[in-house]
Each structure stands twice: as structure tokens, then as C-alpha cells.
Amino acid sequence: MTNADDRFITVSLDKRGVSCTARLLSDRAPITCDAVWNALPLGGDVYHAKYARNEIYALVPPFAPQEPPLENPTVTPIPGDLCYFTFSDTQLGTSSYGYEDDAKHQGRTTVVDLALFYERNNLLINGDAGWVPGIVWGTVVDGLDRMADACQDLWRAGALGESLNFRRA
């Protein structure tokens, strides 16, 4: 159910020409939603998760005046969840993650991960760090099927040259 105060964004894989629409969960994660909304547009090189399973994400510089608290947390995101994670540079510095030496986030003391989960059976546990709770700040309300197909293609065909972007709808 929507109301007049709802805010919507477009989440897109630009090279593939695919997008979906998500509603911000301002009632459950108000601080995170305000931070994201005020910083839009956001995006960058897309990655497909190795550990979490059915997740694509972009790593962006911090944009909030202060990092949001862990509001509306999960370690079991469902299809259509948009999640926000904050990492230190050392947390993403091991070679097991597969980031190239010249990845745009390298050298930042804080890295923000904006993620889209496109299928079920996700578990946010990492072999190096343990549980990695995320903030659920949005939910896809239209186009998840198209986005899921594109995410599967990303997994199989590769992510190089593709970007994940978040814009006001």
C-alpha cells in the first residue's frame, strides 16, 4: 500500500538497459532513507556477491553526515530488499573478495555498500568476518523479475563495464 509521503527510486544496470522501481522504507529506516535520498543519484561499478548469494552491489564513498545506526537490520535479506552496509578499508582489503588493486574504493577509510537482493535464500555471513547485518532501507515494488534476469546474466557473463545506479524516480 502506498501513500502520498512515499518516496520511490529507480535502480538500474545501465549497460544492460534494465531497471526496477523501489519504495523507500522511511517508516522503518528513516535515518538511512533520508541519507540516501538526499545524496541521490548514487552508483558505481557493480559487483556480484560471492558470499551472500543473490546480491549485486556498488561501493560508494560515504555520503551521510554521520553513518546511520543499524536500523531495520537483517542477516537474511529477501528478494527485492535494498540494503546499506558500511565497511572500513581493511574489511574489504583481503584478496579473497576479488577486488582489483585499482578498484575505486581502495584507499578509502570508509566504504558504503548499496545492495540489491534479487532472489531468495541469502545469508549475510562472511568467512573472514562472521555475521554482517545490513540495513533494509528499500523494497522493489516493480520490475524485480526483469532485474533478477539481468542479475543472473551478470553472474554468468560478468560484471566488467556494468554499473549499478540509484536515482530518484
Side-chain angles (χ1 to χ4, degrees), residues 103-124:
K104 294 176 184 166
H105 72 277
Q106 298 292 7
R108 293 184 194 147
T109 56
T110 302
V111 180
V112 173
D113 171 332
L114 296 178
L116 164 67
F117 290 84
Y118 63 90
E119 187 51 76
R120 53 184 287 163
N121 297 324
N122 303 293
L123 187 60
L124 300 179

Side-chain angles (χ1 to χ4, degrees), residues 48-166:
H48 196 289
K50 279 177 88 172
Y51 298 106
R53 195 158 179 184
N54 301 300
E55 171 195 5
I56 62 169
Y57 61 96
L59 301 173
V60 300
F63 51 82
Q66 152 178 348
E67 285 306 307
L70 191 58
E71 53 185 359
N72 199 31
T74 191
V75 292
T76 56
I78 62 172
D81 276 352
L82 299 180
C83 289
Y84 181 110
F85 304 90
T86 303
F87 297 104
S88 71
D89 57 348
T90 57
Q91 286 175 298
L92 299 181
T94 64
S95 60
S96 64
Y97 295 104
Y99 301 121
E100 59 278 5
D101 290 338
D102 62 346
K104 294 176 184 166
H105 72 277
Q106 298 292 7
R108 293 184 194 147
T109 56
T110 302
V111 180
V112 173
D113 171 332
L114 296 178
L116 164 67
F117 290 84
Y118 63 90
E119 187 51 76
R120 53 184 287 163
N121 297 324
N122 303 293
L123 187 60
L124 300 179
I125 190 165
N126 177 291
D128 296 332
W131 294 105
V132 183
I135 300 167
V136 182
W137 59 274
T139 187
V140 174
V141 295
D142 181 58
L144 183 59
D145 54 345
R146 294 184 308 271
M147 187 61 86
D149 288 345
C151 292
Q152 283 295 329
D153 180 65
L154 187 87
W155 173 251
R156 303 265 304 142
L160 288 179
E162 181 63 88
S163 61
L164 176 62
N165 293 288
F166 301 82

